[in-house]
Amino acid sequence: MELTINAAGDEQGLKEFYNWLRDDADVARSATISSAGSSDSGHMGAFEVICMSIGSLTGLANLGIAWGNFLHSRKETPPFTITIEDTLTAEQCAMLRNLDLPLAHPEDVE
């Protein structure tokens, strides 16, 4: 499953979440994580999205756990959105319905 996490204007928060994900041994073991910027932002090194490739339901669950732990470490919920780039299996949809992730299109997991 390929997904992107968009900063929605909170670049610093996204950097913190990126580091949080990379430091989480379970997430790092079950997903490929990279960052990307926008070529039209005009800012050198602009950090706008996290790109992830998750190959298992365990990896998806690890993302959900990391997200929950990250939220508990902050005063405010960051305005991120997660966009899933692939067609989902029934199992993936079921897992996503149980995770409290900020999905860009939650109707896609019904």
Side-chain angles (χ1 to χ4, degrees):
M1 170 188 311
E2 302 293 325
L3 56 91
T4 57
I5 303 170
N6 186 302
D10 186 358
E11 184 177 313
Q12 182 59 38
L14 191 68
K15 285 181 184 178
E16 291 170 12
F17 188 49
Y18 175 77
N19 290 330
W20 188 279
L21 291 171
R22 300 215 27 116
D23 290 343
D24 186 304
D26 292 328
V27 172
R29 191 172 29 254
S30 60
T32 303
I33 308 161
S34 62
S35 63
S38 174
S39 59
D40 63 348
S41 68
H43 296 94
M44 188 66 146
F47 189 103
E48 295 188 8
V49 298
I50 297 171
C51 303
M52 293 185 71
S53 178
I54 300 173
S56 68
L57 290 177
T58 301
L60 189 55
N62 289 337
L63 171 61
I65 292 167
W67 173 248
N69 290 337
F70 181 72
L71 287 181
H72 288 336
S73 75
R74 298 177 59 90
K75 292 180 182 177
E76 295 181 10
T77 300
F80 302 164
T81 55
I82 297 176
T83 303
I84 299 169
E85 307 296 332
D86 299 317
T87 302
L88 300 174
T89 66
E91 292 84 9
Q92 290 168 329
C93 286
M95 174 72 75
L96 285 166
R97 282 192 295 273
N98 291 312
L99 298 174
D100 192 22
L101 296 171
L103 298 175
H105 305 285
E107 66 276 3
D108 290 345
V109 298
E110 294 182 51

